[in-house]
Amino acid sequence: MRVRLLEATENPEELICLGARNDYMSDWVADQSFEDAMAGVEGEDVEAQKANFLARLLKRGHYGPFEHPSATFAIEGASRSCMAQLTRHRHASFDVQSMRYVSFDEVDPAAVEDGEMVVTPPSATDPDWVGRNQSVEDVDEDDVARREAVFRRSVRRSVEDYQELLELGMPPEDARFVLPIGTEVNIVVTLNPRSLMHIADMRAAADAQWEIRELTEQLLDIAAEWCPLTFEYYEAEMKHRKNRLAP
Ligand SMILES: Cc1cc2nc3c(=O)[nH]c(=O)nc-3n(C[C@H](O)[C@H](O)[C@H](O)COP(=O)(O)OP(=O)(O)OC[C@H]3O[C@@H](n4cnc5c(N)ncnc54)[C@H](O)[C@@H]3O)c2cc1C
């Protein structure tokens, strides 16, 4: 899976600060320079003031100002299962690659067997991988060895069946019913820092599934460059404290 930033608000942390400073000033925020708007905030220079102010907002739970900036990410090759988890979050905007208009008629089923088009979970190939709700006691070494073969055979067969249904004239919107939930999809998602921190609260946590955890970590890495002070504070002080942003 790959994640890239498509577009984002410039100077997002200035915008967060201005939004919040608006709450505490009698003058109109739009008439102020950033330096003037930050006057009175503790810090040697404006960068230190920004860092202190953002940390104070997060510490107090004043999360509203973190909704003003937004970032749009392009995600390539998530499974439909991961997509179903991500799109449960309602404070985000999505575009999802359509299986009605994009058909996989040219994909080589042998390539699918080798890992194209369908995400291969680590438990299919890594005998030491232990996932949630796994009945480890009941599985012997032969079973572990056979997992990969069964998984690969199954995804290949479903793509072969899908392509045969297309050849038999079935529309892609119906033939797709036989494709696995691991089928890859490209997603465009727009988030604000608050919604991203909330998603990370839930999806970077140890009890979330490996794929959405990996996706969330990639989003957080990009966000750390886009909103460095906010996500540095989040990483150091807030991450892994579940539901900090939506009690
Ligand atoms: C480990 C894990 C396992 C899960 N297992 C399942 C499962 O088995 N089945 C399943 O269906 N789901 C499951 N989920 C999904 C989960 O229940 C949530 O639906 C999903 O994570 C969206 O998060 P959210 O509820 O915080 O809502 P978001 O849409 O992210 O909203 C953020 C916050 O806004 C507030 N909010 C949003 N909408 C409303 C509303 N209508 N009313 C009141 N407050 C609102 C809430 O405070 C909410 O926390 C699982 C999630 C995790 C992390």
Side-chain angles (χ1 to χ4, degrees):
M1 183 196 320
R2 292 195 299 171
V3 182
R4 284 231 188 106
L5 187 65
L6 275 188
E7 197 75 60
T9 306
E10 273 184 52
N11 302 320
E13 293 182 314
E14 288 196 8
L15 184 59
I16 296 165
C17 290
L18 286 176
R21 292 300 286 164
N22 171 76
D23 305 356
Y24 309 118
M25 65 169 66
S26 50
D27 293 330
W28 191 31
V29 69
D31 279 340
Q32 314 276 308
S33 69
F34 186 66
E35 284 73 13
D36 287 344
M38 295 300 278
V41 175
E42 195 187 322
E44 282 174 6
D45 54 28
V46 79
E47 275 307 299
Q49 286 178 306
K50 212 159 64 171
N52 288 337
F53 190 60
L54 291 167
R56 201 166 80 200
L57 293 173
L58 289 170
K59 198 168 178 183
R60 278 189 185 165
H62 186 169
Y63 301 130
F66 293 87
E67 295 175 12
H68 294 305
S70 64
T72 303
F73 303 89
I75 302 163
E76 182 193 50
S79 71
R80 293 252 156 197
S81 163
C82 184
M83 179 202 74
Q85 294 172 54
L86 182 65
T87 53
R88 292 295 299 278
H89 295 283
R90 290 156 283 189
H91 305 296
S93 305
F94 297 98
D95 267 283
V96 172
Q97 191 181 30
S98 168
M99 280 175 140
R100 299 180 68 203
Y101 298 106
V102 179
S103 58
F104 303 98
D105 49 345
E106 310 236 312
V107 176
D108 178 2
V112 176
E113 197 168 336
D114 289 341
E116 252 186 50
M117 197 191 128
V118 178
V119 174
T120 305
S123 56
T125 52
D126 180 355
D128 299 322
W129 182 274
V130 178
R132 208 162 146 76
N133 301 329
Q134 183 173 337
S135 52
V136 243
E137 321 86 67
D138 304 329
V139 181
D140 65 25
E141 278 181 23
D142 287 346
D143 290 340
V144 172
R146 276 196 57 227
R147 263 191 229 155
E148 180 172 358
V150 172
F151 182 87
R152 296 203 181 286
R153 185 191 64 205
S154 175
V155 293
R156 178 183 180 137
R157 192 177 288 170
S158 64
V159 172
E160 283 171 346
D161 289 346
Y162 166 81
Q163 291 178 340
E164 191 175 346
L165 291 170
L166 291 181
E167 281 162 23
L168 294 169
M170 205 168 184
E173 66 183 20
D174 295 337
R176 68 180 165 172
F177 279 43
V178 301
L179 289 174
I181 197 169
T183 302
E184 289 183 355
V185 60
N186 296 339
I187 305 165
V188 171
V189 57
T190 300
L191 298 165
N192 62 54
R194 182 183 188 177
S195 59
L196 176 50
M197 286 188 277
H198 173 66
I199 289 173
D201 282 350
M202 302 197 76
R203 305 297 185 173
D207 58 351
Q209 203 200 0
W210 60 271
E211 191 184 10
I212 196 154
R213 285 177 68 184
E214 185 189 310
L215 167 60
T216 309
E217 292 297 347
Q218 289 200 51
L219 292 172
L220 286 174
D221 286 347
I222 296 171
E225 290 180 24
W226 172 52
C227 267
L229 300 167
T230 304
F231 283 93
E232 199 175 290
Y233 185 90
Y234 177 78
E235 195 73 37
E237 305 291 339
M238 299 169 73
K239 200 174 165 194
H240 306 312
R241 282 199 257 152
K242 245 184 157 215
N243 296 336
R244 283 291 300 161
L245 273 89

